[in-house]
Amino acid sequence: MFLSLWLMKEDFLNKKLDERKAQNAYRELKIPEGMIDFCSNDYLGLSKILHPEFPLAVKHGSTGSRLLAGNYPLINETEEQIAAFHAAPAALIFNSGYDANIGLLSSVPQRGDTILYDYLSHASIRDGIRLSFAEAFSFRHNDLAELEEKLKKATGNKFVVTESVFSMDGDLAPLAEMMVLCEKYGAHLIVDEAHATGVIGKKGEGLVQDLNLHSRCFARIHTFGKALGCHGAVVLGTVALRNYLINFARAFIYTTALPESSVMAIRKSYEIFPHMHAEREQLQRLVTEFHHSPIKFNKQQSNTPIQAVIVPGNEAVKNLAGQLQAKQFDIRPILYPTVPTNSERLRIVLHSFNTIEQVRSVTGSLQ
Ligand SMILES: Cc1ncc(COP(=O)(O)O)c(C=O)c1O
């Protein structure tokens, strides 16, 4: 059932891949084995010199793009491990979440297609969309009625893009309802799980899986630079999507791959974070504590570790942040134009290593 659904949804990807094959220009990832290196960018051999020095005995440099010298068994195995964890058919690692969004959104939607994206989407989503030849329109934050109106008018292949946990507000996208709309209008749902990874779901799988929407979601982006404590990102989707990105996503093709040292860290992180139940429970306790503490400013409704306290005006929010920093709380102001004018805010991020007393002390300072 799902298979036939996906085959239908993927026709446009496979058509382009077949064209590539017909032109003899189809790209595949290969592992360079035992050859004399006339390929890598490792001009001084530094990656090999550094190699034995590294405590994990892995390389600091990958020496090229994944399509040239920069592909290696550990990165392929890690993609398989991550795809299995997230119950996805395939995974492709990018050097960062920024690169993943740019690579995916600039290459998949084509001229004549339509992208609809949440107005509060992260800059990397917006930049990726800007690089695409598709038509793009935002819809008001989490506004399903406006999304539906725009879906009715959309042409070509339709893509709906959102974050699952919004980076500046900490609130959640109504993914189940969005999925229903996407299916009604034949649109592909793309979800950036940057701030959900490691945090949302029993094992930190993210919101899409937590809601059991993963087999219906066109693509998911998980980043490693946040709860996972390393660097890089992955795009999850079908095998055809992975092959398509390898062939068309310039942010994947024209850059040096992550080195083994980074991928080793990512792998290790995926072994550890699913078992960090106590930490996720502590986080939730802190979120509840923050949520129920009265303060004199407006708080965004958020059930996640990102808590936004609205303090309109760049100067006012900077002053308040300065007062909190003087009390040794590292709390940063988020200013216009990062957020719309009059919604400047303190972005308070809760961590499992924070204590209830610390949270009470912060909220006490905001009364
Ligand atoms: C929602 C969202 N997507 C993508 C990114 C980019 O991820 P990375 O830092 O790995 O480039 C961020 C980081 O700020 C983010 O908040």
Side-chain angles (χ1 to χ4, degrees):
M1 157 74 183
F2 277 140
L3 191 64
S4 58
L5 204 66
W6 276 116
L7 285 178
M8 186 187 69
K9 283 186 175 179
E10 283 176 6
D11 279 355
F12 71 107
L13 298 183
N14 286 319
K15 189 166 163 262
K16 294 286 284 185
L17 287 170
D18 289 344
E19 281 172 21
R20 268 284 158 97
K21 286 176 188 161
Q23 293 161 354
N24 211 12
Y26 187 73
R27 294 169 165 133
E28 285 174 284
L29 298 176
K30 297 193 182 80
I31 309 275
E33 264 173 334
M35 288 180 282
I36 300 169
D37 184 0
F38 284 106
C39 174
S40 82
N41 298 324
D42 190 18
Y43 297 117
L44 303 174
L46 254 178
S47 88
K48 284 137 196 133
I49 293 168
L50 288 173
H51 179 195
E53 302 295 322
F54 191 65
L56 290 169
V58 289
K59 288 204 229 163
H60 287 298
S62 71
T63 77
S65 158
R66 291 275 302 276
L67 285 153
L68 299 172
N71 200 39
Y72 48 91
L74 182 70
I75 199 163
N76 286 338
E77 288 159 22
T78 303
E79 286 174 336
E80 283 168 21
Q81 175 202 14
I82 293 173
F85 175 76
H86 288 292
L92 189 69
I93 289 179
F94 283 72
N95 291 359
S96 70
Y98 189 91
D99 285 349
N101 278 331
I102 296 276
L104 175 72
L105 293 166
S106 67
S107 68
V108 171
Q110 312 285 307
R111 200 181 295 283
D113 292 345
T114 308
I115 308 171
L116 302 176
Y117 62 98
D118 189 287
Y119 177 71
L120 292 188
S121 291
H122 188 259
S124 54
I125 293 175
R126 289 168 167 269
D127 289 359
I129 290 170
R130 217 184 288 167
L131 285 171
S132 159
F133 291 111
E135 282 234 87
F137 306 96
S138 66
F139 53 93
R140 277 189 300 272
H141 180 50
N142 282 347
D143 188 330
L144 293 165
E146 192 178 39
L147 172 60
E148 179 156 24
E149 280 317 302
K150 295 196 168 172
L151 274 168
K152 282 181 190 161
K153 295 181 200 141
T155 54
N157 284 309
K158 299 161 201 158
F159 299 89
V160 173
V161 191
T162 188
E163 295 172 35
S164 52
V165 174
F166 279 84
S167 63
M168 287 297 150
D169 295 73
D171 58 342
L172 306 182
L175 290 183
E177 293 84 350
M178 288 175 105
M179 182 62 85
V180 170
L181 283 181
C182 283
E183 288 175 342
K184 182 170 172 191
Y185 293 95
H188 304 79
L189 184 62
I190 298 178
V191 183
D192 180 335
E193 295 256 46
H195 295 277
T197 316
V199 174
I200 306 268
K202 261 200 180 62
K203 295 183 179 173
E205 310 92 321
L207 187 59
V208 172
Q209 260 170 292
D210 198 41
L211 297 173
N212 199 24
L213 298 172
H214 46 284
S215 53
R216 294 152 66 192
C217 194
F218 177 73
R220 287 176 273 164
I221 300 95
H222 287 270
T223 66
F224 310 140
K226 305 192 190 297
L228 273 58
C230 358
H231 192 81
V234 72
V235 175
L236 303 173
T238 61
V239 172
L241 177 63
R242 183 175 186 271
N243 289 338
Y244 183 90
L245 293 172
I246 291 168
N247 276 271
F248 293 101
R250 293 162 72 86
F252 175 85
I253 299 166
Y254 298 106
T255 189
T256 302
L258 282 184
E260 281 186 341
S261 50
S262 297
V263 175
M264 199 75 171
I266 293 162
R267 200 184 172 100
K268 206 75 220 148
S269 191
Y270 265 90
E271 282 166 17
I272 297 169
F273 83 77
H275 307 289
M276 298 180 81
H277 303 294
E279 284 80 357
R280 277 187 286 277
E281 279 164 23
Q282 165 70 353
L283 251 183
Q284 207 46 54
R285 271 193 291 276
L286 299 181
V287 169
T288 306
E289 174 67 28
F290 193 92
H291 198 66
H292 292 306
S293 304
I295 59 172
K296 72 175 177 194
F297 302 95
N298 284 334
K299 278 186 283 190
Q300 294 294 86
Q301 284 303 314
S302 158
N303 205 23
T304 71
I306 303 168
Q307 297 290 330
V309 173
I310 305 300
V311 185
N314 280 357
E315 199 179 328
V317 73
K318 269 162 101 173
N319 284 341
L320 187 56
Q323 288 165 26
L324 290 161
Q325 287 160 14
K327 294 182 182 170
Q328 300 305 307
F329 297 119
D330 188 356
I331 291 175
R332 307 296 172 98
I334 308 292
L335 310 175
Y336 171 83
T338 301
V339 289
T341 185
N342 282 327
S343 75
E344 296 83 356
R345 68 208 44 203
L346 299 174
R347 182 171 180 268
I348 298 177
V349 183
L350 304 171
H351 310 91
S352 60
F353 51 81
N354 293 137
T355 63
I356 290 271
E357 291 69 35
Q358 289 167 348
V359 171
R360 286 187 185 145
S361 191
V362 168
T363 52
S365 304
L366 295 170
Q367 280 165 5

